[in-house]
Amino acid sequence: MNKISPVVAFLVFMGVFVLARTATRDFLASWVALEGVVLGLASLVASVLLAALAAGAVLHVSRLISGE
């Protein structure tokens, strides 16, 4: 499990990033007065943070399961 959990976490990171990209852009555009480059950067940062949170959760659960 220790060898495969980083791979799974990376796949989760990429999947959440791709799925959250459009949703965060739409959410920020409707909720905050951002547009153009600022909106793109804000949605990029928000998507990366959500993806990192999901990948960290996968790694944490794998550590709990393995008993480390």
Side-chain angles (χ1 to χ4, degrees):
M1 185 77 173
N2 286 340
K3 295 185 189 259
I4 197 165
S5 61
V7 174
V8 172
F10 177 73
L11 292 175
V12 167
F13 179 88
M14 294 305 293
V16 170
F17 177 76
V18 168
L19 293 175
R21 188 79 169 107
T22 306
T24 55
R25 181 185 262 292
D26 294 342
F27 175 75
L28 288 173
S30 67
W31 220 56
V32 183
L34 298 175
E35 46 186 53
V37 175
V38 176
L39 176 62
L41 289 175
S43 68
L44 176 72
V45 169
S47 297
V48 166
L49 290 176
L50 285 172
L53 186 65
V58 167
L59 289 174
H60 184 68
V61 167
S62 72
R63 279 190 185 164
L64 289 176
I65 291 172
S66 68
E68 289 182 11

